[in-house]
Amino acid sequence: MIAKVIVDISVSEVDRVFDYRAIDGVARGSRVTVPFGRQTTEGYVIDITDNTDLPQDKIKDIISVLDDRPIVSEEFLSLCDYMTERFHLRKIDVFRLFLPAKMRGGRIKALQKIFVYINPDYIDVDPNLFIKKSAHSQMEVFEYLLDAESAEQSYLNANFSAAAVRNLIARGVFLTRVQDALRTPYKGVVQKEKDVVLTDEQSAAVNSIMSSEKPSLLFGVTGSGKTEVYLDCIERVLNQGKTAIMLVPEISLTPQVMRIFRSRFGDDVALLHSGLSDGERFDEWRRLLTGGARVAVGARSAIFAPLTNVGLIVIDEEHDSSYVSASNPRYITRDVALFRAAYNGARIVMGSATPSVESYFGAKNGKYNLVRLPHRVNMREMPEIQIVNMCSEVTYGNSGMFSKSLVTALEQCLASGNQAILFLNRRGYSSYVMCKKCGYVAKCEDCDVSLVYHKEENLLKCHYCQRRYSMPDLCPNCNSPHIKQGYMGTERVVEQVQKMFPSARVIRMDNDTTRTKDAHLKLLSDFAGGNADILVGTQMVAKGHDFPNVTLVGIMDADMSLHFSDFRAVERTFQLITQVAGRAGREKKQGGVILQTYTPKHYVYKYASAYDYEGFYEKEINLLEATGFPPFTEILRILISCEQESIALDATKLAIDEARALAEKNDGCFVYLNAMRSPKKRIQAKYRMQVLMRIKPDNDNLRKAVYSIADNVISAYPQVTCFTEVNPNDLS
């Protein structure tokens, strides 16, 4: 028998099937070791057949089968074919999404521990017959195990006499067994299950979702109880003997979600995300693979949970850009979810208080089943959003980052014993450092981006390649001491808050303060437990969190996401404002929002302050149709990068020439086509070019032709890195 194997080497030249002679235990989906050239490598069996084009004497044997079962299911073999074709990916890059990274190469394995228990022959025998009266340590540990029945040997050695334990094992009084021990993430994150009775709106939503053959878009205001709808739908599919996947956009949301899900489903829930330790991720993945857990909860990567018979996939905050992978392998989570749902006959529910314009367009046109939750569960009004014109603040002599309205609101909030959230989607102390004399701006040597000043470490950091630089006292260009710091970051906001309110307890939550394991959990637990008065954070505090004592939200700079050269900039601004405003007044206390802006007359603020999603959607969809952007077109980008600028330019010329020829053959299918330098011209010492095109949607043949252009570029210029992206979230 011949095994068709994809070897675990991520190089385009070997991204194809290789034939090996099968050995006992090999099946479709097996992970194996094979000889490859002068080395041994891992691979995945995608088929077993009798056919080969190679002479028998040229076919090598598989060396070994690495697992006790095939770890890539028939569903995932089909999913690999779909993803390689849909997103133009290498097969091995897709296979690597299917299992924990450290599992490859045997870098992580099941944790095994030795457990000790009493030999049944000694349980009902007087211990004085086999333990001397003077052997007090032996008697102590024997009596402990009589009550405990079994315990880890390491625990007994640490809490009793290790010599006594060894003696009793050697004499056969104690027996040992080796068993797998689970490394469970967020083990202490539990809560009692609440007796929740669904409202009429929630019950109607559940029934609509579970009865629809189409994917459902759950459009519910913040605080409307979308999570309870998800839980009820998941409980229904579990009762049918099926499994479920629950996706959240931010790792920071997983402790809260796990607390809720464990209270309802107990050990049936497993967690998958990049913030886990290698051992925790492996054990949770293995529980899902073996049926030890039936509900997978996690961020984007949890869509690849190794579950069978999936009955429901939930994509919470479906509008969030994190569901689109912006690095290799590039894929769109929703498309993967739709494939898995179709394969399993499962339901999909995509929930949001601010659906993406494309999703809502699909729902309005019958592609999705539109389900609404228009009211908060407690029927409390949405918090009032007060728009503050920061230009007027400057006119009246206030050039600081806090408006008078926000300072007053913070004073009242703290005086009443409530909590506040200050939102600013920029970490660090200041976004750039500039010389006021010559205009020099400190930039990364390897990336075409400004360095961000971090005051706590007194360092300049590149947020793209993570390089660090010393903060200059003098301008490196003209030696001037007049160094100006640019736009504020979260670190600077915290500093100012502590100056204004010295007694206030402040927590900062951004990528800098959440790098360590379980940092999200600790920060959020401290705030939820009342150990802090003010939470300052980036977008990771903007959605999903439920803090009953938060009565004030301050949006420090609402314009920050508005002026990007991105057709989704206004939409993202609306979403961020609505999401972060929804953190206020979620329970019995009324909430308020102070929104600071330098462009108060922009239409986005009119709709956001009124929570008028429908009005905003109508305005935005008309603009998108007039300008030819998604959902009326599909954006394709060929992204080319190379350390040598001349080669990158030559490769881009080849790509645009072939794209123009393709456009001529497909008259009317291209709405836009152009080549240019990427807005961020250089990242990690590589020059970046791009060919941008907008084509009529759902044209699979045209998309494949564009993929072929990218392949031709790689063939002609092997020095370049070339990727294609479909509807990318970030065009920088």
Side-chain angles (χ1 to χ4, degrees):
M1 298 293 287
I2 301 299
K4 305 288 186 179
V5 176
I6 298 291
V7 295
D8 195 356
I9 300 173
S10 185
V11 178
S12 297
E13 289 77 11
V14 298
D15 188 47
R16 56 186 179 85
V17 173
F18 292 89
D19 289 356
Y20 288 90
R21 190 172 289 107
I23 61 174
D24 289 344
V26 170
R28 280 169 58 89
S30 292
R31 188 169 61 110
V32 296
T33 54
V34 294
F36 192 78
R38 297 181 180 179
Q39 62 182 354
T40 297
T41 189
E42 292 182 9
Y44 302 90
V45 178
I46 65 169
D47 204 5
I48 304 289
T49 180
D50 292 323
N51 303 319
T52 180
D53 295 329
L54 295 176
Q56 288 296 318
D57 62 338
K58 297 290 186 182
I59 301 176
K60 299 178 181 179
D61 290 351
I62 287 175
I63 297 173
S64 64
V65 181
L66 290 172
D67 309 286
D68 58 0
R69 66 180 71 204
I71 61 169
V72 181
S73 65
E74 290 293 331
E75 177 188 352
F76 277 26
L77 289 173
S78 299
L79 177 59
C80 178
D81 291 339
Y82 166 76
M83 291 182 67
T84 52
E85 182 175 324
R86 176 76 175 89
F87 303 115
H88 194 227
L89 302 174
R90 289 186 286 257
K91 284 187 180 294
I92 189 57
D93 291 337
V94 177
F95 274 110
R96 289 178 178 179
L97 293 168
F98 295 162
L99 65 158
K102 289 296 177 69
M103 186 176 172
R104 295 168 38 236
R107 291 172 289 171
I108 191 71
K109 295 180 181 178
L111 176 64
Q112 294 188 320
K113 294 186 177 181
I114 299 174
F115 282 78
V116 179
Y117 61 101
I118 298 174
N119 187 329
D121 295 340
Y122 289 85
I123 288 179
D124 296 323
V125 179
D126 183 355
N128 291 306
L129 296 177
F130 51 85
I131 298 177
K132 295 178 181 179
K133 288 185 179 180
S134 59
H136 300 296
S137 296
Q138 292 183 26
M139 184 64 75
E140 188 180 18
V141 71
F142 181 84
E143 289 177 347
Y144 173 80
L145 277 186
L146 273 177
D147 291 333
E149 296 185 357
S150 71
E152 287 182 38
Q153 185 171 354
S154 60
Y155 175 83
L156 297 178
N157 290 342
N159 292 275
F160 300 92
S161 166
V165 174
R166 286 196 302 270
N167 181 286
L168 292 169
I169 291 173
R171 293 195 287 124
V173 177
F174 287 171
L175 301 178
T176 62
R177 65 173 179 269
V178 177
Q179 67 185 57
D180 291 346
L182 294 175
R183 291 155 286 199
T184 305
Y186 302 140
K187 193 176 294 186
V189 177
V190 291
Q191 71 178 29
K192 293 182 180 179
E193 183 177 358
K194 297 179 181 178
D195 293 325
V196 176
V197 178
L198 297 185
T199 65
D200 291 343
E201 282 185 1
Q202 289 173 316
S203 295
V206 171
N207 291 332
S208 179
I209 291 165
M210 298 307 295
S211 62
S212 175
E213 296 299 321
K214 299 176 183 177
S216 294
L217 178 64
L218 179 59
F219 174 27
V221 300
T222 56
S224 61
K226 293 185 288 294
T227 301
E228 287 299 332
V229 171
Y230 302 150
L231 290 167
D232 205 79
C233 291
I234 290 171
E235 189 164 29
R236 291 194 187 192
V237 300
L238 294 183
N239 290 338
Q240 297 168 6
K242 298 181 179 181
T243 60
I245 298 171
M246 170 78 187
L247 302 180
V248 294
E250 290 274 2
I251 290 176
S252 63
L253 294 175
T254 52
Q256 175 178 301
V257 174
M258 284 299 288
R259 183 179 287 112
I260 296 168
F261 272 59
R262 278 184 181 151
S263 72
R264 178 74 72 94
F265 305 118
D267 291 338
D268 252 342
V269 182
L271 179 63
L272 291 178
H273 69 65
S274 59
L276 304 183
S277 70
D278 297 328
E280 288 172 342
R281 187 172 176 84
F282 175 76
D283 286 353
E284 294 289 89
W285 176 86
R286 195 158 48 101
R287 286 207 302 132
L288 293 163
L289 178 72
T290 59
R294 297 189 296 156
V295 181
V297 173
R300 181 178 66 217
S301 61
I303 192 59
F304 302 108
L307 290 166
T308 56
N309 195 22
V310 177
L312 180 72
I313 300 174
V314 177
I315 306 177
D316 191 28
E317 311 291 1
E318 65 84 31
H319 64 274
D320 197 274
S321 61
S322 67
Y323 287 125
V324 178
S325 173
S327 59
N328 185 51
R330 290 162 165 81
Y331 64 89
I332 301 172
T333 303
R334 180 185 310 178
D335 290 357
V336 178
L338 289 169
F339 177 91
R340 294 202 70 180
Y343 188 96
N344 289 278
R347 301 281 188 270
I348 285 187
V349 54
M350 302 172 290
S352 178
T354 54
S356 69
V357 169
E358 290 154 85
S359 294
Y360 200 68
F361 178 80
K364 297 276 279 187
N365 287 277
K367 182 179 179 180
Y368 304 134
N369 170 41
L370 182 58
V371 184
R372 298 175 186 269
L373 290 174
H375 303 104
R376 284 186 157 185
V377 171
N378 55 14
M379 300 307 290
R380 182 168 289 281
E381 293 295 317
M382 299 297 292
E384 180 184 353
I385 298 177
Q386 178 185 345
I387 298 175
V388 177
N389 185 348
M390 294 301 285
C391 294
S392 297
E393 293 285 317
V394 173
T395 301
Y396 290 109
N398 178 14
S399 58
M401 64 179 76
F402 286 83
S403 64
K404 292 181 180 178
S405 297
L406 181 54
V407 173
T408 301
L410 278 169
E411 288 173 347
Q412 294 172 349
C413 176
L414 296 174
S416 60
N418 294 318
Q419 294 175 301
I421 292 176
L422 297 179
F423 168 73
L424 179 69
N425 208 19
R426 185 191 291 119
R427 61 191 171 101
Y429 189 81
S430 62
S431 60
Y432 64 87
V433 171
M434 185 180 75
C435 174
K436 291 194 285 185
K437 183 177 180 181
C438 72
Y440 165 85
V441 175
K443 289 192 173 184
C444 177
E445 293 174 2
D446 291 336
C447 307
D448 183 39
V449 294
S450 302
L451 295 170
V452 178
Y453 178 52
H454 290 251
K455 188 176 182 181
E456 283 184 1
E457 301 162 273
N458 195 32
L459 289 173
L460 295 171
K461 293 183 183 180
C462 175
H463 286 179
Y464 284 85
C465 71
Q466 312 309 319
R467 284 194 63 172
R468 299 178 173 207
Y469 301 81
S470 298
M471 175 66 183
D473 295 320
L474 302 175
C475 172
N477 189 51
C478 70
N479 289 323
S480 167
H482 301 295
I483 303 292
K484 172 190 174 184
Q485 293 167 359
Y487 300 119
M488 60 185 173
T490 49
E491 195 178 329
R492 191 171 171 189
V493 171
V494 169
E495 180 183 87
Q496 292 298 310
V497 169
Q498 290 173 333
K499 285 181 180 178
M500 290 188 296
F501 306 102
S503 62
R505 298 163 299 171
V506 186
I507 286 178
R508 175 163 62 96
M509 190 170 181
D510 54 31
N511 280 344
D512 296 316
T513 61
T514 57
R515 292 189 185 280
T516 58
K517 187 175 181 297
D518 294 342
H520 295 94
L521 176 60
K522 183 181 185 309
L523 292 172
L524 292 172
S525 297
D526 283 348
F527 190 64
N531 296 323
D533 306 302
I534 300 172
L535 175 62
V536 177
T538 56
Q539 67 176 21
M540 60 177 64
V541 306
K543 48 201 169 241
H545 303 296
D546 198 345
F547 302 117
N549 288 320
V550 170
T551 58
L552 173 66
V553 166
I555 302 174
M556 302 296 299
D557 187 351
D559 303 332
M560 189 173 297
S561 58
L562 186 60
H563 302 303
F564 282 97
S565 57
D566 184 339
F567 76 96
R568 294 189 182 94
V570 178
E571 179 184 348
R572 286 179 181 150
T573 301
F574 180 90
Q575 290 165 343
L576 274 173
I577 292 170
T578 306
Q579 293 288 337
V580 72
R583 299 314 106 209
R586 293 179 67 89
E587 302 247 345
K588 297 178 181 179
K589 300 177 180 179
Q590 183 62 40
V593 180
I594 304 294
L595 184 156
Q596 299 184 162
T597 172
Y598 289 91
T599 55
K601 293 185 179 180
H602 194 287
Y603 68 87
V604 71
Y605 299 124
K606 179 183 77 170
Y607 293 115
S609 61
Y611 299 98
D612 183 7
Y613 177 84
E614 297 274 2
F616 173 77
Y617 166 80
E618 292 298 335
K619 173 85 172 178
E620 204 67 10
I621 201 70
N622 289 334
L623 287 172
L624 293 172
E625 184 174 20
T627 53
F629 280 97
F632 302 99
T633 59
E634 181 175 88
I635 297 176
L636 296 176
R637 174 163 82 153
I638 300 176
L639 182 62
I640 295 166
S641 63
C642 184
E643 291 181 0
Q644 295 174 267
E645 185 177 15
S646 60
I647 294 177
L649 286 167
D650 290 343
T652 305
K653 185 178 186 307
L654 172 62
I656 187 63
D657 287 346
E658 293 197 7
R660 284 170 177 155
L662 181 64
E664 288 180 10
K665 292 179 184 177
N666 294 270
D667 187 37
C669 292
F670 278 75
V671 177
Y672 175 87
L673 173 62
N674 206 351
M676 64 205 76
R677 294 179 184 271
S678 296
K680 292 186 175 68
K681 301 177 183 64
R682 196 162 168 257
I683 296 291
Q684 295 180 350
K686 291 185 176 181
Y687 293 92
R688 305 168 78 244
M689 315 288 174
Q690 61 186 13
V691 176
L692 275 179
M693 57 203 88
R694 299 201 300 272
I695 65 173
K696 295 294 178 65
D698 303 319
N699 193 328
D700 292 343
N701 291 330
L702 196 55
R703 191 188 313 115
K704 289 176 184 176
V706 173
Y707 291 161
S708 295
I709 293 173
D711 290 337
N712 294 340
V713 169
I714 294 172
S715 297
Y717 298 94
Q719 309 98 314
V720 307
T721 300
C722 182
F723 288 107
T724 48
E725 295 178 308
V726 181
N727 287 337
N729 265 320
D730 183 1
L731 290 171
S732 63

